[in-house]
Amino acid sequence: MKKWIFGTLISAIAVYFLLSNFDVKEFSRIEGKIRWEYAVLFWITSLWSFFPFSYRWFLLLDNKITVWSAYASSLIGVGLNMVLPARGGDVVRLVMNKKDSGLPLPNLISKLFLEKVMDLGAVVILGAFAFLFLGIGSQKNLALVFVSGSVIFGMIVVLILIRFYLKFVLTVGEKAMNLVRLGSVFEEKLKDQIIEFSEFLRGDKLAKPLAISFPTWILGYALNYYIAGQMIGMDFSFFECMLFIFVGAMGVAIPSAPSGIGVFHASIISGFILLGKDGGEGFVYATVVHLSQFIVTTTSALVVYFIYQKKSA
């Protein structure tokens, strides 16, 4: 409850800032200019973007679920993230996959952690290339890349320790859990999962999902952002789309209300300003992208949920 209240407060502050600094009349720029053929393409690319994302999840779970189950749970999870606080959609996805795969919850959580590391790493690397290619790679502008990279570095260190220094990790973990009188929980429920996760971090089991991470963002989300611009008559290059994805992803990483309202808009506007573009256009673009993704993802997730329930019955 506290997280929900804090997130709502952050979003409320961001929305107030946006409304007090940008005139809603900016939307008159797209009046009568929406290209509905691109609206259809936006819907298609939104659904398409989940294919590499869900196939990577299928591989991360070592083929313990079907590709359809991976796609359905991924789409439903993201759709629920749009309306539930504290990434509640990810929790629902884990529950669905636990039922379908028979894998224990700690195992699924470890794979979800690995998925987030891959996503964050891909976004930061592509964002850094966008900064440099677009000529905005000053020390100040790259500070966010540096901070994000530091977070990735910390996550990678944890993975390396689990992969190559498993005995050390188990010893430290056991002692730490004993200190809080949860040694039996570690021994019975966590130890075997950490060992299994260490085995997963070897060879093809890790290489294949890792290789899909970049196509997930380049062929999925970047294309979706480009189509959104075309839909309202804004033409962007590939690297500009990658910049928007980077700042948008970093923005929604901030605890906020469901679907990142407010903070997402502020992040996209900052991307426009970095490119020397009009912040008012950034406000319009961010609103169109956010609203379109909300409508497409939530309605599609609802349809897929009913199909999933029917197939599972």
Side-chain angles (χ1 to χ4, degrees), residues 94-253:
L94 294 180
V95 172
M96 292 174 63
N97 293 148
K98 182 179 185 300
K99 176 183 177 182
D100 293 338
S101 67
L103 293 171
L105 193 58
N107 184 288
L108 293 169
I109 293 174
S110 66
K111 302 298 175 60
L112 182 65
F113 170 75
L114 187 56
E115 177 190 78
K116 301 307 180 185
V117 173
M118 291 179 178
D119 278 336
L120 183 58
V123 168
V124 170
I125 291 173
L126 292 172
F129 273 110
F131 271 102
L132 296 175
F133 184 86
L134 294 169
I136 54 177
S138 67
Q139 183 176 357
K140 180 180 179 181
N141 292 338
L142 287 176
L144 183 57
V145 177
F146 175 77
V147 172
S148 304
S150 299
V151 174
I152 296 173
F153 177 76
M155 291 178 172
I156 291 176
V157 168
V158 172
L159 294 175
I160 290 175
L161 288 174
I162 294 175
R163 168 64 178 82
F164 295 102
Y165 301 96
L166 179 60
K167 290 184 178 180
F168 170 77
V169 171
L170 293 176
T171 300
V172 172
E174 185 176 9
K175 289 182 177 180
M177 295 296 278
N178 282 329
L179 287 175
V180 294
R181 299 181 180 182
L182 292 174
S184 60
V185 175
F186 179 83
E187 187 68 30
E188 296 173 7
K189 297 185 177 182
L190 296 179
K191 184 176 181 179
D192 289 341
Q193 302 307 321
I194 295 174
I195 294 173
E196 184 177 342
F197 187 48
S198 177
E199 291 295 324
F200 183 84
L201 298 175
R202 302 170 187 265
D204 290 344
K205 287 187 176 182
L206 179 62
K208 290 180 180 179
L210 189 61
I212 296 175
S213 296
F214 286 99
T216 296
W217 289 93
I218 295 173
L219 300 178
Y221 302 122
L223 178 61
N224 192 238
Y225 272 52
Y226 173 79
I227 295 298
Q230 293 294 311
M231 183 170 63
I232 56 176
M234 296 184 185
D235 193 21
F236 302 117
S237 68
F238 163 75
F239 283 103
E240 287 175 333
C241 289
M242 287 312 311
L243 176 65
F244 298 149
I245 283 177
F246 170 72
V247 295
M250 294 303 103
V252 296

Side-chain angles (χ1 to χ4, degrees), residues 25-84:
K25 292 181 180 178
E26 293 285 347
F27 288 95
S28 62
R29 300 184 186 196
I30 63 173
E31 186 177 355
K33 296 180 181 179
I34 296 179
R35 301 153 77 180
W36 292 106
E37 66 273 21
Y38 281 100
V40 175
L41 284 175
F42 183 87
W43 195 296
I44 294 172
T45 55
S46 294
L47 297 180
W48 153 252
S49 65
F50 283 98
F51 278 102
F53 178 83
S54 58
Y55 186 67
R56 183 185 60 181
W57 183 242
F58 166 76
L59 294 175
L60 283 172
L61 296 191
D62 201 20
N63 304 4
K64 297 295 185 181
I65 58 175
T66 64
V67 174
W68 156 250
S69 180
Y71 184 83
S73 61
S74 297
L75 180 55
I76 292 169
V78 175
L80 288 174
N81 279 338
M82 291 282 187
V83 295
L84 296 177

